[in-house]
């Protein structure tokens, strides 16, 4: 069914490029037929049986991310992304690799601002042992000094590589810090070397007790299994895990609306070309405006043919790259326009060009063919992702965490298809043209303006 839908999408895209003014027909995307239940200890369980391939994906999403890091201890959620692959009472360090990779599967994990997820894909005959292993590291993880020190060093080295050594790493790190004034999103996810050094083993254990518990987790199993059998395994391995009595602390800070624009200068020691980033506050991922913002971002910044790339890189030749991204989160997200200079361009020149393209999309008629092409790209990407057990599980997990309800997984593609040119222009006027912006100029350290805090005088 999905393969036929993909063929239909490609045909629609072909027709759109040929300048047909009519809107493409709406594709009737088959729903993901999942089951959802809650165990007595509060663990949410989502299962989706699919026999298209003899593989299965197991995912555990924890409702804890960078925003939940303790004050003065940024990077704890990221640290546990690593620690969860160490030893448990009955698992040796890195045994998860042996249980997945050695049978032709894979495993990985990721940490975001709102959530941390762990995911595996294995041949379906290995499902039971993987469910046992996930229950084992949920209930019996060894948070000891050796593992803590080892993985703290790994996280710190990751910070050095991705932020300190990368020419534009400091700019990326500055986006959240300069864009948010109160919300803990401003700390970022990756961590801070000094704050991780200041952390104690007791700090880490307290964080683990607080958030790594069944009533703060979602177990998602998708792929080739028998529903009755997998339900019995889940009950056997997960239901005995006790629910702790203490409440789970939640972030209640609300980012205040911006009342004025701000301008900052950031520097780095190895910046080959100047760059600029402009941010605006976005609504929650659960907002009704989220689909239109995704389409707007794709029109401006999705690929070689996107408007910003065409205008700044190819026509004006003032940038070697230009983009527009929408970073939607459970609370306020960000809209981010950015460019890296070419030749002798300045950050101010880049900023004017970026704003000009946003204004043109918001104010001038949007060609039907261009809108249809971008929506087809977004739908095609989503449908390709949903062809595998891993992709189906990721879509379900994102719907639960970001959108607040697993059922939204069967609504979001229809909502994306329903976006009109008027919707795109409305959200750009609301969240960009009529909203204060934060501009960050990024240059080589030796050429920076005075001011130790990086703020423009």
């Amino acid at each position: 069914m999905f393969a036929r839908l993909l063929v239909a999408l490609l045909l629609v895209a072909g027709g759109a490029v040929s300048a047909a003014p009519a809107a493409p027909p709406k594709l009737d995307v088959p729903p993901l037929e999942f089951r959802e239940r809650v165990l007595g200890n509060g663990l949410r369980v989502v299962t989706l049986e699919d026999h298209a391939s003899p593989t299965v994906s197991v995912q555990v999403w924890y409702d804890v991310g960078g925003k939940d890091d303790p004050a003065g201890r940024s990077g704890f959620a990221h640290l546990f992304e690593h620690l969860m692959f160490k030893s448990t009472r009955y698992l040796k360090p890195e045994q998860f690799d042996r249980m997945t990779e050695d049978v032709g599967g894979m495993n990985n994990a990721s940490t975001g601002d709102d959530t941390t997820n762990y995911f595996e894909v294995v041949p379906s005959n290995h499902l039971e042992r993987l469910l046992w292993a996930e229950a084992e590291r949920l209930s019996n993880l060894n948070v000891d000094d050796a593992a803590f020190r080892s993985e703290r060093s790994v996280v710190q080295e990751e910070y050095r590589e991705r932020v300190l050594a990368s020419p534009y790493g400091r700019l990326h790190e500055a986006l959240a810090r300069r864009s948010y004034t109160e919300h803990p999103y401003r700390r970022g996810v990756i961590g801070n070397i000094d704050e991780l050094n200041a952390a104690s083993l007791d700090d880490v254990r307290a964080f683990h007790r607080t958030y790594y518990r069944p009533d703060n987790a979602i177990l998602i199993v998708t792929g080739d299994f028998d529903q009755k059998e997998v339900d019995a395994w889940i009950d056997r391995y997960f239901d005995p895990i006790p629910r702790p009595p203490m409440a789970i602390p939640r972030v209640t800070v609300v980012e205040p609306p911006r009342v004025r624009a701000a301008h900052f200068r950031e520097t780095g020691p190895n910046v080959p070309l100047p760059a600029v980033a402009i941010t605006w506050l976005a609504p929650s991922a659960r907002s009704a405006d989220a689909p239109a913002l995704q389409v707007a971002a794709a029109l401006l910044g999705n690929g070689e043919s996107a408007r910003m790339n065409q205008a700044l890189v190819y026509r004006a030749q003032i940038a070697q790259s230009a983009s527009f991204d929408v970073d939607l989160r459970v609370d306020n997200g960000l809209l981010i326009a950015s460019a890296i200079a070419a030749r002798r361009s300045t950050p101010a020149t880049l900023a004017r060009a970026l704003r000009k393209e946003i204004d043109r999309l918001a104010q001038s008629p949007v060609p039907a063919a261009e809108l249809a092409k971008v929506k087809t790209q977004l739908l095609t990407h989503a449908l390709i992702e949903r062809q595998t057990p891993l992709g189906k599980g990721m879509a379900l997990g994102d719907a639960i965490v970001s959108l607040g309800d697993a059922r939204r997984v069967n609504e979001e593609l229809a909502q994306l298809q329903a976006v009109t040119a008027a919707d795109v222009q409305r959200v750009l006027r609301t969240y960009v043209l009529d909203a204060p912006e934060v501009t960050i100029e990024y240059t080589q350290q030796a050429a920076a303006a005075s001011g130790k805090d990086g703020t423009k005088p």
Side-chain angles (χ1 to χ4, degrees), residues 87-119:
S87 68
T88 73
R89 182 181 300 173
Y90 300 111
L91 285 170
K92 298 177 182 178
E94 283 78 48
Q95 193 169 345
F96 246 82
D97 293 340
R98 308 286 65 79
M99 298 176 69
T100 54
E101 296 171 5
D102 288 3
V103 298
M106 58 80 68
N107 72 80
N108 213 328
S110 66
T111 310
D113 291 281
D114 299 305
T115 188
T116 307
N117 68 335
Y118 303 83
F119 49 93

PDB file of all heavy atoms in Angstrom, residues 87-119:
ATOM      1  N   SER A  87      26.464  -1.497  32.414  1.00  0.00           N
ATOM      2  CA  SER A  87      26.037  -2.767  32.997  1.00  0.00           C
ATOM      3  C   SER A  87      24.775  -2.621  33.846  1.00  0.00           C
ATOM      4  O   SER A  87      24.433  -1.533  34.333  1.00  0.00           O
ATOM      5  CB  SER A  87      27.155  -3.347  33.858  1.00  0.00           C
ATOM      6  OG  SER A  87      27.356  -2.547  35.017  1.00  0.00           O
ATOM      7  N   THR A  88      24.091  -3.750  34.021  1.00  0.00           N
ATOM      8  CA  THR A  88      22.970  -3.879  34.951  1.00  0.00           C
ATOM      9  C   THR A  88      23.283  -5.064  35.869  1.00  0.00           C
ATOM     10  O   THR A  88      24.371  -5.642  35.811  1.00  0.00           O
ATOM     11  CB  THR A  88      21.646  -4.129  34.211  1.00  0.00           C
ATOM     12  OG1 THR A  88      21.640  -5.472  33.699  1.00  0.00           O
ATOM     13  CG2 THR A  88      21.458  -3.153  33.067  1.00  0.00           C
ATOM     14  N   ARG A  89      22.318  -5.453  36.658  1.00  0.00           N
ATOM     15  CA  ARG A  89      22.532  -6.608  37.533  1.00  0.00           C
ATOM     16  C   ARG A  89      22.880  -7.859  36.722  1.00  0.00           C
ATOM     17  O   ARG A  89      23.732  -8.660  37.114  1.00  0.00           O
ATOM     18  CB  ARG A  89      21.294  -6.869  38.380  1.00  0.00           C
ATOM     19  CG  ARG A  89      21.463  -8.037  39.361  1.00  0.00           C
ATOM     20  CD  ARG A  89      20.190  -8.263  40.148  1.00  0.00           C
ATOM     21  NE  ARG A  89      19.828  -7.081  40.928  1.00  0.00           N
ATOM     22  CZ  ARG A  89      18.687  -6.965  41.603  1.00  0.00           C
ATOM     23  NH1 ARG A  89      17.790  -7.941  41.580  1.00  0.00           N
ATOM     24  NH2 ARG A  89      18.430  -5.870  42.287  1.00  0.00           N
ATOM     25  N   TYR A  90      22.238  -8.023  35.554  1.00  0.00           N
ATOM     26  CA  TYR A  90      22.423  -9.248  34.776  1.00  0.00           C
ATOM     27  C   TYR A  90      22.969  -9.007  33.367  1.00  0.00           C
ATOM     28  O   TYR A  90      23.069  -9.937  32.575  1.00  0.00           O
ATOM     29  CB  TYR A  90      21.092 -10.007  34.672  1.00  0.00           C
ATOM     30  CG  TYR A  90      20.537 -10.414  36.014  1.00  0.00           C
ATOM     31  CD1 TYR A  90      19.373  -9.818  36.522  1.00  0.00           C
ATOM     32  CD2 TYR A  90      21.174 -11.372  36.796  1.00  0.00           C
ATOM     33  CE1 TYR A  90      18.864 -10.189  37.759  1.00  0.00           C
ATOM     34  CE2 TYR A  90      20.672 -11.745  38.040  1.00  0.00           C
ATOM     35  CZ  TYR A  90      19.511 -11.151  38.511  1.00  0.00           C
ATOM     36  OH  TYR A  90      19.013 -11.506  39.736  1.00  0.00           O
ATOM     37  N   LEU A  91      23.315  -7.769  33.033  1.00  0.00           N
ATOM     38  CA  LEU A  91      23.888  -7.451  31.730  1.00  0.00           C
ATOM     39  C   LEU A  91      25.277  -6.857  31.907  1.00  0.00           C
ATOM     40  O   LEU A  91      25.479  -5.985  32.763  1.00  0.00           O
ATOM     41  CB  LEU A  91      23.016  -6.441  30.974  1.00  0.00           C
ATOM     42  CG  LEU A  91      21.713  -6.940  30.342  1.00  0.00           C
ATOM     43  CD1 LEU A  91      20.881  -5.749  29.864  1.00  0.00           C
ATOM     44  CD2 LEU A  91      21.995  -7.884  29.187  1.00  0.00           C
ATOM     45  N   LYS A  92      26.213  -7.302  31.101  1.00  0.00           N
ATOM     46  CA  LYS A  92      27.549  -6.733  31.121  1.00  0.00           C
ATOM     47  C   LYS A  92      27.557  -5.416  30.329  1.00  0.00           C
ATOM     48  O   LYS A  92      26.670  -5.180  29.508  1.00  0.00           O
ATOM     49  CB  LYS A  92      28.554  -7.710  30.498  1.00  0.00           C
ATOM     50  CG  LYS A  92      28.686  -9.026  31.239  1.00  0.00           C
ATOM     51  CD  LYS A  92      29.641  -9.952  30.506  1.00  0.00           C
ATOM     52  CE  LYS A  92      29.750 -11.307  31.206  1.00  0.00           C
ATOM     53  NZ  LYS A  92      30.658 -12.232  30.467  1.00  0.00           N
ATOM     54  N   PRO A  93      28.556  -4.545  30.541  1.00  0.00           N
ATOM     55  CA  PRO A  93      28.652  -3.328  29.737  1.00  0.00           C
ATOM     56  C   PRO A  93      28.692  -3.643  28.236  1.00  0.00           C
ATOM     57  O   PRO A  93      29.350  -4.607  27.812  1.00  0.00           O
ATOM     58  CB  PRO A  93      29.977  -2.702  30.190  1.00  0.00           C
ATOM     59  CG  PRO A  93      30.182  -3.218  31.574  1.00  0.00           C
ATOM     60  CD  PRO A  93      29.616  -4.612  31.572  1.00  0.00           C
ATOM     61  N   GLU A  94      27.944  -2.850  27.452  1.00  0.00           N
ATOM     62  CA  GLU A  94      27.871  -3.000  25.998  1.00  0.00           C
ATOM     63  C   GLU A  94      27.248  -4.328  25.541  1.00  0.00           C
ATOM     64  O   GLU A  94      27.344  -4.690  24.366  1.00  0.00           O
ATOM     65  CB  GLU A  94      29.255  -2.847  25.338  1.00  0.00           C
ATOM     66  CG  GLU A  94      29.717  -1.391  25.222  1.00  0.00           C
ATOM     67  CD  GLU A  94      30.246  -0.846  26.533  1.00  0.00           C
ATOM     68  OE1 GLU A  94      31.069  -1.543  27.175  1.00  0.00           O
ATOM     69  OE2 GLU A  94      29.834   0.256  26.924  1.00  0.00           O
ATOM     70  N   GLN A  95      26.629  -5.086  26.456  1.00  0.00           N
ATOM     71  CA  GLN A  95      26.009  -6.340  26.022  1.00  0.00           C
ATOM     72  C   GLN A  95      24.836  -6.097  25.083  1.00  0.00           C
ATOM     73  O   GLN A  95      24.476  -6.971  24.297  1.00  0.00           O
ATOM     74  CB  GLN A  95      25.560  -7.167  27.227  1.00  0.00           C
ATOM     75  CG  GLN A  95      25.208  -8.610  26.857  1.00  0.00           C
ATOM     76  CD  GLN A  95      25.025  -9.509  28.070  1.00  0.00           C
ATOM     77  OE1 GLN A  95      25.425  -9.160  29.189  1.00  0.00           O
ATOM     78  NE2 GLN A  95      24.432 -10.658  27.861  1.00  0.00           N
ATOM     79  N   PHE A  96      24.251  -4.895  25.158  1.00  0.00           N
ATOM     80  CA  PHE A  96      23.192  -4.564  24.206  1.00  0.00           C
ATOM     81  C   PHE A  96      23.707  -4.645  22.773  1.00  0.00           C
ATOM     82  O   PHE A  96      22.970  -5.059  21.863  1.00  0.00           O
ATOM     83  CB  PHE A  96      22.651  -3.156  24.497  1.00  0.00           C
ATOM     84  CG  PHE A  96      21.232  -3.167  24.961  1.00  0.00           C
ATOM     85  CD1 PHE A  96      20.911  -3.432  26.281  1.00  0.00           C
ATOM     86  CD2 PHE A  96      20.195  -2.939  24.073  1.00  0.00           C
ATOM     87  CE1 PHE A  96      19.610  -3.460  26.714  1.00  0.00           C
ATOM     88  CE2 PHE A  96      18.888  -2.960  24.489  1.00  0.00           C
ATOM     89  CZ  PHE A  96      18.581  -3.220  25.820  1.00  0.00           C
ATOM     90  N   ASP A  97      24.945  -4.235  22.545  1.00  0.00           N
ATOM     91  CA  ASP A  97      25.527  -4.355  21.206  1.00  0.00           C
ATOM     92  C   ASP A  97      25.577  -5.812  20.757  1.00  0.00           C
ATOM     93  O   ASP A  97      25.277  -6.136  19.605  1.00  0.00           O
ATOM     94  CB  ASP A  97      26.930  -3.761  21.188  1.00  0.00           C
ATOM     95  CG  ASP A  97      26.935  -2.266  21.399  1.00  0.00           C
ATOM     96  OD1 ASP A  97      25.887  -1.632  21.185  1.00  0.00           O
ATOM     97  OD2 ASP A  97      27.987  -1.730  21.792  1.00  0.00           O
ATOM     98  N   ARG A  98      25.968  -6.682  21.661  1.00  0.00           N
ATOM     99  CA  ARG A  98      26.074  -8.098  21.310  1.00  0.00           C
ATOM    100  C   ARG A  98      24.684  -8.685  21.015  1.00  0.00           C
ATOM    101  O   ARG A  98      24.531  -9.530  20.143  1.00  0.00           O
ATOM    102  CB  ARG A  98      26.745  -8.869  22.448  1.00  0.00           C
ATOM    103  CG  ARG A  98      28.082  -8.295  22.926  1.00  0.00           C
ATOM    104  CD  ARG A  98      29.208  -8.566  21.915  1.00  0.00           C
ATOM    105  NE  ARG A  98      29.059  -7.908  20.622  1.00  0.00           N
ATOM    106  CZ  ARG A  98      29.359  -6.624  20.420  1.00  0.00           C
ATOM    107  NH1 ARG A  98      29.793  -5.857  21.400  1.00  0.00           N
ATOM    108  NH2 ARG A  98      29.216  -6.106  19.217  1.00  0.00           N
ATOM    109  N   MET A  99      23.670  -8.249  21.751  1.00  0.00           N
ATOM    110  CA  MET A  99      22.328  -8.799  21.587  1.00  0.00           C
ATOM    111  C   MET A  99      21.633  -8.270  20.341  1.00  0.00           C
ATOM    112  O   MET A  99      20.633  -8.840  19.902  1.00  0.00           O
ATOM    113  CB  MET A  99      21.473  -8.464  22.815  1.00  0.00           C
ATOM    114  CG  MET A  99      21.996  -9.070  24.111  1.00  0.00           C
ATOM    115  SD  MET A  99      21.028  -8.561  25.539  1.00  0.00           S
ATOM    116  CE  MET A  99      19.498  -9.435  25.214  1.00  0.00           C
ATOM    117  N   THR A 100      22.148  -7.195  19.766  1.00  0.00           N
ATOM    118  CA  THR A 100      21.524  -6.609  18.574  1.00  0.00           C
ATOM    119  C   THR A 100      22.425  -6.719  17.349  1.00  0.00           C
ATOM    120  O   THR A 100      22.074  -7.369  16.369  1.00  0.00           O
ATOM    121  CB  THR A 100      21.162  -5.136  18.841  1.00  0.00           C
ATOM    122  OG1 THR A 100      22.332  -4.433  19.299  1.00  0.00           O
ATOM    123  CG2 THR A 100      20.074  -5.023  19.889  1.00  0.00           C
ATOM    124  N   GLU A 101      23.606  -6.151  17.422  1.00  0.00           N
ATOM    125  CA  GLU A 101      24.486  -6.133  16.256  1.00  0.00           C
ATOM    126  C   GLU A 101      24.961  -7.528  15.857  1.00  0.00           C
ATOM    127  O   GLU A 101      25.126  -7.818  14.661  1.00  0.00           O
ATOM    128  CB  GLU A 101      25.687  -5.226  16.533  1.00  0.00           C
ATOM    129  CG  GLU A 101      25.303  -3.766  16.728  1.00  0.00           C
ATOM    130  CD  GLU A 101      26.466  -2.915  17.216  1.00  0.00           C
ATOM    131  OE1 GLU A 101      27.591  -3.467  17.309  1.00  0.00           O
ATOM    132  OE2 GLU A 101      26.253  -1.725  17.501  1.00  0.00           O
ATOM    133  N   ASP A 102      25.185  -8.400  16.846  1.00  0.00           N
ATOM    134  CA  ASP A 102      25.703  -9.730  16.529  1.00  0.00           C
ATOM    135  C   ASP A 102      24.667 -10.639  15.894  1.00  0.00           C
ATOM    136  O   ASP A 102      25.005 -11.735  15.421  1.00  0.00           O
ATOM    137  CB  ASP A 102      26.250 -10.397  17.793  1.00  0.00           C
ATOM    138  CG  ASP A 102      27.556  -9.760  18.255  1.00  0.00           C
ATOM    139  OD1 ASP A 102      27.990  -8.775  17.633  1.00  0.00           O
ATOM    140  OD2 ASP A 102      28.131 -10.240  19.251  1.00  0.00           O
ATOM    141  N   VAL A 103      23.403 -10.217  15.872  1.00  0.00           N
ATOM    142  CA  VAL A 103      22.374 -11.016  15.195  1.00  0.00           C
ATOM    143  C   VAL A 103      21.845 -10.292  13.960  1.00  0.00           C
ATOM    144  O   VAL A 103      20.780 -10.614  13.433  1.00  0.00           O
ATOM    145  CB  VAL A 103      21.206 -11.354  16.157  1.00  0.00           C
ATOM    146  CG1 VAL A 103      21.718 -12.186  17.325  1.00  0.00           C
ATOM    147  CG2 VAL A 103      20.495 -10.102  16.654  1.00  0.00           C
ATOM    148  N   GLY A 104      22.620  -9.295  13.498  1.00  0.00           N
ATOM    149  CA  GLY A 104      22.236  -8.577  12.286  1.00  0.00           C
ATOM    150  C   GLY A 104      21.338  -7.385  12.520  1.00  0.00           C
ATOM    151  O   GLY A 104      20.783  -6.831  11.571  1.00  0.00           O
ATOM    152  N   GLY A 105      21.204  -6.934  13.774  1.00  0.00           N
ATOM    153  CA  GLY A 105      20.350  -5.801  14.089  1.00  0.00           C
ATOM    154  C   GLY A 105      21.146  -4.553  14.403  1.00  0.00           C
ATOM    155  O   GLY A 105      22.319  -4.419  14.037  1.00  0.00           O
ATOM    156  N   MET A 106      20.503  -3.619  15.093  1.00  0.00           N
ATOM    157  CA  MET A 106      21.157  -2.371  15.467  1.00  0.00           C
ATOM    158  C   MET A 106      20.527  -1.831  16.743  1.00  0.00           C
ATOM    159  O   MET A 106      19.429  -2.245  17.134  1.00  0.00           O
ATOM    160  CB  MET A 106      21.038  -1.325  14.346  1.00  0.00           C
ATOM    161  CG  MET A 106      19.616  -0.970  13.924  1.00  0.00           C
ATOM    162  SD  MET A 106      18.716   0.208  14.983  1.00  0.00           S
ATOM    163  CE  MET A 106      19.632   1.700  14.680  1.00  0.00           C
ATOM    164  N   ASN A 107      21.237  -0.916  17.378  1.00  0.00           N
ATOM    165  CA  ASN A 107      20.681  -0.201  18.521  1.00  0.00           C
ATOM    166  C   ASN A 107      21.261   1.195  18.559  1.00  0.00           C
ATOM    167  O   ASN A 107      22.359   1.435  18.050  1.00  0.00           O
ATOM    168  CB  ASN A 107      20.962  -0.940  19.833  1.00  0.00           C
ATOM    169  CG  ASN A 107      22.417  -0.845  20.247  1.00  0.00           C
ATOM    170  OD1 ASN A 107      22.862   0.167  20.805  1.00  0.00           O
ATOM    171  ND2 ASN A 107      23.198  -1.899  19.967  1.00  0.00           N
ATOM    172  N   ASN A 108      20.527   2.109  19.150  1.00  0.00           N
ATOM    173  CA  ASN A 108      21.027   3.466  19.303  1.00  0.00           C
ATOM    174  C   ASN A 108      20.126   4.206  20.289  1.00  0.00           C
ATOM    175  O   ASN A 108      19.174   3.621  20.811  1.00  0.00           O
ATOM    176  CB  ASN A 108      21.073   4.205  17.960  1.00  0.00           C
ATOM    177  CG  ASN A 108      22.223   5.197  17.882  1.00  0.00           C
ATOM    178  OD1 ASN A 108      22.616   5.786  18.893  1.00  0.00           O
ATOM    179  ND2 ASN A 108      22.765   5.390  16.692  1.00  0.00           N
ATOM    180  N   ALA A 109      20.424   5.464  20.494  1.00  0.00           N
ATOM    181  CA  ALA A 109      19.627   6.291  21.401  1.00  0.00           C
ATOM    182  C   ALA A 109      19.834   7.740  21.023  1.00  0.00           C
ATOM    183  O   ALA A 109      20.792   8.095  20.320  1.00  0.00           O
ATOM    184  CB  ALA A 109      20.034   6.058  22.859  1.00  0.00           C
ATOM    185  N   SER A 110      18.936   8.593  21.483  1.00  0.00           N
ATOM    186  CA  SER A 110      19.083  10.028  21.239  1.00  0.00           C
ATOM    187  C   SER A 110      18.467  10.797  22.391  1.00  0.00           C
ATOM    188  O   SER A 110      17.535  10.329  23.052  1.00  0.00           O
ATOM    189  CB  SER A 110      18.428  10.437  19.917  1.00  0.00           C
ATOM    190  OG  SER A 110      17.023  10.274  19.982  1.00  0.00           O
ATOM    191  N   THR A 111      19.000  11.984  22.620  1.00  0.00           N
ATOM    192  CA  THR A 111      18.485  12.873  23.653  1.00  0.00           C
ATOM    193  C   THR A 111      18.040  14.170  23.007  1.00  0.00           C
ATOM    194  O   THR A 111      18.784  14.762  22.214  1.00  0.00           O
ATOM    195  CB  THR A 111      19.554  13.198  24.706  1.00  0.00           C
ATOM    196  OG1 THR A 111      20.150  11.988  25.166  1.00  0.00           O
ATOM    197  CG2 THR A 111      18.958  13.949  25.882  1.00  0.00           C
ATOM    198  N   GLY A 112      16.839  14.616  23.330  1.00  0.00           N
ATOM    199  CA  GLY A 112      16.339  15.890  22.850  1.00  0.00           C
ATOM    200  C   GLY A 112      16.031  16.809  24.010  1.00  0.00           C
ATOM    201  O   GLY A 112      16.313  16.506  25.172  1.00  0.00           O
ATOM    202  N   ASP A 113      15.442  17.928  23.706  1.00  0.00           N
ATOM    203  CA  ASP A 113      15.059  18.864  24.759  1.00  0.00           C
ATOM    204  C   ASP A 113      13.956  18.300  25.641  1.00  0.00           C
ATOM    205  O   ASP A 113      13.894  18.602  26.833  1.00  0.00           O
ATOM    206  CB  ASP A 113      14.580  20.171  24.134  1.00  0.00           C
ATOM    207  CG  ASP A 113      15.716  20.923  23.473  1.00  0.00           C
ATOM    208  OD1 ASP A 113      16.488  21.573  24.189  1.00  0.00           O
ATOM    209  OD2 ASP A 113      15.843  20.852  22.236  1.00  0.00           O
ATOM    210  N   ASP A 114      13.073  17.473  25.057  1.00  0.00           N
ATOM    211  CA  ASP A 114      11.899  17.001  25.777  1.00  0.00           C
ATOM    212  C   ASP A 114      11.924  15.520  26.133  1.00  0.00           C
ATOM    213  O   ASP A 114      11.157  15.087  26.990  1.00  0.00           O
ATOM    214  CB  ASP A 114      10.633  17.261  24.938  1.00  0.00           C
ATOM    215  CG  ASP A 114      10.412  18.733  24.661  1.00  0.00           C
ATOM    216  OD1 ASP A 114      10.354  19.511  25.637  1.00  0.00           O
ATOM    217  OD2 ASP A 114      10.315  19.122  23.479  1.00  0.00           O
ATOM    218  N   THR A 115      12.755  14.741  25.484  1.00  0.00           N
ATOM    219  CA  THR A 115      12.677  13.288  25.673  1.00  0.00           C
ATOM    220  C   THR A 115      14.018  12.626  25.406  1.00  0.00           C
ATOM    221  O   THR A 115      14.903  13.197  24.760  1.00  0.00           O
ATOM    222  CB  THR A 115      11.615  12.694  24.728  1.00  0.00           C
ATOM    223  OG1 THR A 115      11.413  11.320  25.032  1.00  0.00           O
ATOM    224  CG2 THR A 115      12.038  12.807  23.284  1.00  0.00           C
ATOM    225  N   THR A 116      14.180  11.404  25.930  1.00  0.00           N
ATOM    226  CA  THR A 116      15.317  10.549  25.608  1.00  0.00           C
ATOM    227  C   THR A 116      14.744   9.218  25.134  1.00  0.00           C
ATOM    228  O   THR A 116      13.883   8.645  25.810  1.00  0.00           O
ATOM    229  CB  THR A 116      16.209  10.306  26.831  1.00  0.00           C
ATOM    230  OG1 THR A 116      16.566  11.564  27.409  1.00  0.00           O
ATOM    231  CG2 THR A 116      17.474   9.562  26.448  1.00  0.00           C
ATOM    232  N   ASN A 117      15.189   8.743  23.976  1.00  0.00           N
ATOM    233  CA  ASN A 117      14.644   7.473  23.491  1.00  0.00           C
ATOM    234  C   ASN A 117      15.753   6.491  23.141  1.00  0.00           C
ATOM    235  O   ASN A 117      16.855   6.867  22.741  1.00  0.00           O
ATOM    236  CB  ASN A 117      13.713   7.680  22.290  1.00  0.00           C
ATOM    237  CG  ASN A 117      14.430   8.155  21.052  1.00  0.00           C
ATOM    238  OD1 ASN A 117      15.485   8.756  21.124  1.00  0.00           O
ATOM    239  ND2 ASN A 117      13.858   7.902  19.896  1.00  0.00           N
ATOM    240  N   TYR A 118      15.441   5.218  23.360  1.00  0.00           N
ATOM    241  CA  TYR A 118      16.355   4.106  23.102  1.00  0.00           C
ATOM    242  C   TYR A 118      15.650   3.174  22.129  1.00  0.00           C
ATOM    243  O   TYR A 118      14.471   2.843  22.313  1.00  0.00           O
ATOM    244  CB  TYR A 118      16.686   3.373  24.412  1.00  0.00           C
ATOM    245  CG  TYR A 118      17.278   4.286  25.450  1.00  0.00           C
ATOM    246  CD1 TYR A 118      16.454   5.078  26.255  1.00  0.00           C
ATOM    247  CD2 TYR A 118      18.656   4.394  25.611  1.00  0.00           C
ATOM    248  CE1 TYR A 118      16.996   5.949  27.192  1.00  0.00           C
ATOM    249  CE2 TYR A 118      19.208   5.264  26.548  1.00  0.00           C
ATOM    250  CZ  TYR A 118      18.371   6.039  27.333  1.00  0.00           C
ATOM    251  OH  TYR A 118      18.910   6.899  28.249  1.00  0.00           O
ATOM    252  N   PHE A 119      16.358   2.747  21.074  1.00  0.00           N
ATOM    253  CA  PHE A 119      15.667   1.974  20.047  1.00  0.00           C
ATOM    254  C   PHE A 119      16.577   0.903  19.473  1.00  0.00           C
ATOM    255  O   PHE A 119      17.792   1.073  19.367  1.00  0.00           O
ATOM    256  CB  PHE A 119      15.150   2.894  18.938  1.00  0.00           C
ATOM    257  CG  PHE A 119      16.162   3.877  18.391  1.00  0.00           C
ATOM    258  CD1 PHE A 119      16.932   3.586  17.276  1.00  0.00           C
ATOM    259  CD2 PHE A 119      16.336   5.116  19.006  1.00  0.00           C
ATOM    260  CE1 PHE A 119      17.845   4.494  16.774  1.00  0.00           C
ATOM    261  CE2 PHE A 119      17.261   6.040  18.514  1.00  0.00           C
ATOM    262  CZ  PHE A 119      18.011   5.723  17.395  1.00  0.00           C
TER     263      PHE A 119
END
